Amino acid sequence: MTENVTTTGAGGVQSVERAFDLLEVIAASGGEAMLSELATATGLALPTIHRLLRTLVATGYVRQLANRRYVLGPGLIRLGEGASRQLGALARTHLATLVQQLGETANMAVLDGDRVLYAAQVPSRHSMRMFTEVGRRAHLHDTGVGKAILAQLTDAAVRSLVTAAGMPAATTMSITTPDALLQDLGLIRSRGYAIDDNEQEIGVRCFAMSVPNAPTPTAISVSGPVSRVDEAFGTRAVPLLRAAAEAISHDLNRAP
Amino acid sequence: MTENVTTTGAGGVQSVERAFDLLEVIAASGGEAMLSELATATGLALPTIHRLLRTLVATGYVRQLANRRYVLGPGLIRLGEGASRQLGALARTHLATLVQQLGETANMAVLDGDRVLYAAQVPSRHSMRMFTEVGRRAHLHDTGVGKAILAQLTDAAVRSLVTAAGMPAATTMSITTPDALLQDLGLIRSRGYAIDDNEQEIGVRCFAMSVPNAPTPTAISVSGPVSRVDEAFGTRAVPLLRAAAEAISHDLNRAP
DNA sequence: AATAATAGTTCCACTATACGGAAACTTCGC
DNA sequence: GCGAAGTTTCCGTATAGTGGAACTATTATT
């Protein structure tokens, strides 16, 4: 058998790769980009970009403004929601196991710009329900999942994200400065999990852990009232969280 | 010269169109599809589909399960969120004008499968806040924006959507049967706007109107407590809603 | 207001690129 | 374990996409 020496493409369809590159560049440019910007960013010839964008505009995945600027189109919303639902479905079984084992609500969230987006949740049986809902966004600095995700990034990236999003104090326990946050992230990195201790909402505590090797930075958590979610709970929860995170990671990366 | 039988549209990049067709088919199949299903749905040859999907898998927009089944990948979440944010940014100025004119919270939502997805919101100054948040999904049959969107569709499409989603009664005022819903939609079509009168939440009333010529079915609304949002409010609100909907429509199809 | 400069779009010949028939391979049902 | 259905690789072919050059629209400059 000959070894596959093909470099980047490896049998990939060139125009499709390029079309998605363009979408990613537009998304990275704050959702709006000019043709020439795209040319310098991708290194492609202008007519090539123009033709690809024309196709995307015709299919509704890109809109063109009167400025001639290009922005991400509404067609992507549908696909994104579908993908989000899909990711949630994958995680749900594992989250349900956590709920069964621990009796508290389990969540999964992904990094979405400078926020976390809740992609899946399995509520506990307890009548004290969480307000978090799938599709909702929250701050990175005051949530367990947010801090677990940030702990995977470099300090520079963390500073950039939290300055973009701001660090409002949801409660008196919230971390409100980048330096204090980075210190907590160091602790999170060393012990392998994050704690949100009344930081997002008084009376709620949360243990969170990142999902390794996820295509998009992802984390899971279990949360509940401080009366039930205490130190002893954490001792039980952390190994189970780790197992769930690894199971989700495994499912995400299942190879053919 | 062979006759050009393909009506793919002028100047579109074939492989890109096909790649997105595949994504749409996967999304329509509940987010999970087999290669052969995609072949019958699109009419493409198996190796062609396989090559396109391989590209999408390599770039993270599609995942392949151990089943060999293909599902929408997490890469689409980022793009979808970007597109959603973009749409929201466009609408926000117009919604802010509505809030300034009427003093109540203004929303914009798009059709997302069998639900509405809130894409933008400008809250009112009143301390009585709405629970709706950007990114949240709601039912079609019991929200003003949902009914405004449904009123644009055919009766058959409406029945299909509400049977897919179900019609749970959020309040005692909620519409719970397709026939009653279609009757209300007839009223909405004739007068040009929708009213949610305590249907989603007791004490909340809402005036909503569809955004014409939107690439994805879209509607805007103003909502608030019944004490303030009464008949007199509606008289003032409807022309302003219409102006805002037309302004958004104009922006969507032309300028920034 | 006129002109220059820059950005965007159309055209077209070339060939690299993606296509799909056929065959090898893998998984699933029995 | 065998047959069938589904999936992936291979490879010759021609179609479909590419990008240089020319042209048009838009914005900046004088």
Side-chain angles (χ1 to χ4, degrees):
Chain A
M1 293 298 169
T2 55
E3 203 72 16
N4 197 351
V5 281
T6 37
T7 53
T8 51
V13 178
Q14 191 185 57
S15 0
V16 174
E17 285 172 354
R18 290 175 168 184
F20 277 99
D21 277 355
L22 289 174
L23 291 176
E24 291 289 351
V25 171
I26 295 173
S29 314
E32 190 174 324
M34 291 201 300
L35 191 55
S36 47
E37 289 179 296
L38 295 171
T40 53
T42 60
L44 297 174
L46 284 171
T48 302
I49 297 173
H50 183 256
R51 191 166 357 88
L52 290 168
L53 284 175
R54 174 138 46 106
T55 308
L56 293 171
V57 169
T59 46
Y61 301 109
V62 166
R63 285 193 312 114
Q64 183 166 206
L65 306 176
N67 301 344
R68 317 253 157 164
R69 286 200 170 83
Y70 293 92
V71 299
L72 298 178
L76 291 170
I77 299 177
R78 302 182 48 220
L79 294 177
E81 290 297 325
S84 182
R85 235 188 312 275
Q86 190 58 40
L87 190 63
L90 182 149
R92 199 152 294 132
T93 54
H94 300 292
L95 297 181
T97 306
L98 278 176
V99 172
Q100 195 195 334
Q101 292 166 327
L102 293 166
E104 299 295 344
T105 302
N107 298 284
M108 182 171 79
V110 298
L111 180 63
D112 165 34
D114 54 15
R115 293 274 171 42
V116 286
L117 170 70
Y118 284 90
Q121 186 200 147
V122 176
S124 75
R125 293 294 162 82
H126 295 291
S127 57
M128 171 167 287
R129 65 174 194 275
M130 290 286 95
F131 291 117
T132 322
E133 284 206 19
V134 169
R136 186 164 171 183
R137 291 184 204 77
H139 277 277
L140 288 162
H141 72 282
D142 62 5
T143 54
V145 282
K147 294 197 292 182
I149 285 171
L150 286 177
Q152 295 185 280
L153 308 178
T154 64
D155 284 7
V158 171
R159 281 186 191 275
S160 158
L161 285 174
V162 297
T163 49
M167 296 183 68
T171 74
T172 54
M173 299 286 280
S174 301
I175 298 172
T176 53
T177 68
D179 289 325
L181 179 62
L182 287 171
Q183 192 179 333
D184 192 28
L185 294 181
L187 182 59
I188 291 165
R189 289 190 189 104
S190 66
R191 76 183 167 206
Y193 60 92
I195 303 178
D196 159 12
D197 183 14
N198 293 280
E199 292 165 42
Q200 159 140 257
E201 193 174 339
I202 291 293
V204 176
R205 198 176 280 136
C206 164
F207 287 82
M209 192 174 290
S210 65
V211 175
N213 305 318
T216 292
T218 307
I220 58 175
S221 70
V222 285
S223 59
V226 291
S227 56
R228 295 195 301 258
V229 179
D230 53 14
E231 203 173 325
F233 177 91
T235 310
R236 285 198 299 134
V238 166
L240 298 173
L241 266 176
R242 179 163 294 121
E246 272 163 16
I248 291 171
S249 171
H250 181 260
D251 281 7
L252 273 173
N253 297 307
R254 275 191 290 198
Chain B
M1 273 304 197
T2 56
E3 213 148 323
N4 194 355
V5 279
T6 49
T7 54
T8 47
V13 177
Q14 192 186 57
S15 5
V16 175
E17 284 172 354
R18 289 176 168 184
F20 277 100
D21 277 355
L22 289 173
L23 291 175
E24 291 289 351
V25 171
I26 295 173
S29 313
E32 189 173 324
M34 292 201 302
L35 192 55
S36 47
E37 290 178 296
L38 295 172
T40 54
T42 59
L44 298 174
L46 284 172
T48 303
I49 296 174
H50 183 258
R51 192 166 355 91
L52 290 169
L53 285 174
R54 174 139 46 105
T55 308
L56 293 171
V57 169
T59 46
Y61 301 108
V62 167
R63 291 198 357 261
Q64 183 166 208
L65 306 177
N67 306 342
R68 316 246 154 174
R69 284 201 171 82
Y70 293 92
V71 299
L72 298 178
L76 291 170
I77 300 178
R78 302 182 46 221
L79 293 177
E81 291 298 327
S84 183
R85 204 171 293 125
Q86 189 60 39
L87 191 62
L90 183 148
R92 202 152 293 131
T93 53
H94 300 293
L95 297 180
T97 306
L98 277 176
V99 172
Q100 195 196 333
Q101 292 166 327
L102 293 166
E104 298 295 345
T105 302
N107 297 284
M108 182 170 80
V110 298
L111 180 64
D112 167 35
D114 54 13
R115 296 279 163 75
V116 285
L117 169 71
Y118 285 89
Q121 187 201 143
V122 176
S124 75
R125 294 293 162 81
H126 295 291
S127 56
M128 170 166 289
R129 66 175 191 273
M130 291 286 96
F131 291 116
T132 323
E133 284 207 16
V134 170
R136 186 163 171 184
R137 289 183 210 79
H139 278 277
L140 287 162
H141 71 282
D142 63 4
T143 53
V145 281
K147 294 197 295 182
I149 285 172
L150 287 177
Q152 296 184 280
L153 309 178
T154 65
D155 284 7
V158 171
R159 280 185 191 279
S160 158
L161 285 174
V162 297
T163 50
M167 296 182 67
T171 75
T172 54
M173 299 285 280
S174 301
I175 298 172
T176 54
T177 68
D179 289 323
L181 179 61
L182 287 170
Q183 192 180 334
D184 193 26
L185 294 181
L187 183 58
I188 290 165
R189 290 188 189 107
S190 66
R191 74 182 168 207
Y193 60 94
I195 303 178
D196 159 12
D197 183 14
N198 293 281
E199 292 165 42
Q200 161 144 256
E201 192 173 341
I202 292 293
V204 175
R205 198 175 282 136
C206 164
F207 287 82
M209 192 175 290
S210 65
V211 175
N213 305 317
T216 292
T218 308
I220 58 175
S221 70
V222 285
S223 58
V226 291
S227 56
R228 295 195 300 257
V229 178
D230 51 14
E231 202 173 326
F233 178 90
T235 310
R236 284 199 299 135
V238 166
L240 298 172
L241 266 175
R242 179 163 295 120
E246 272 162 17
I248 290 170
S249 171
H250 182 260
D251 281 8
L252 269 173
N253 298 310
R254 277 197 168 185

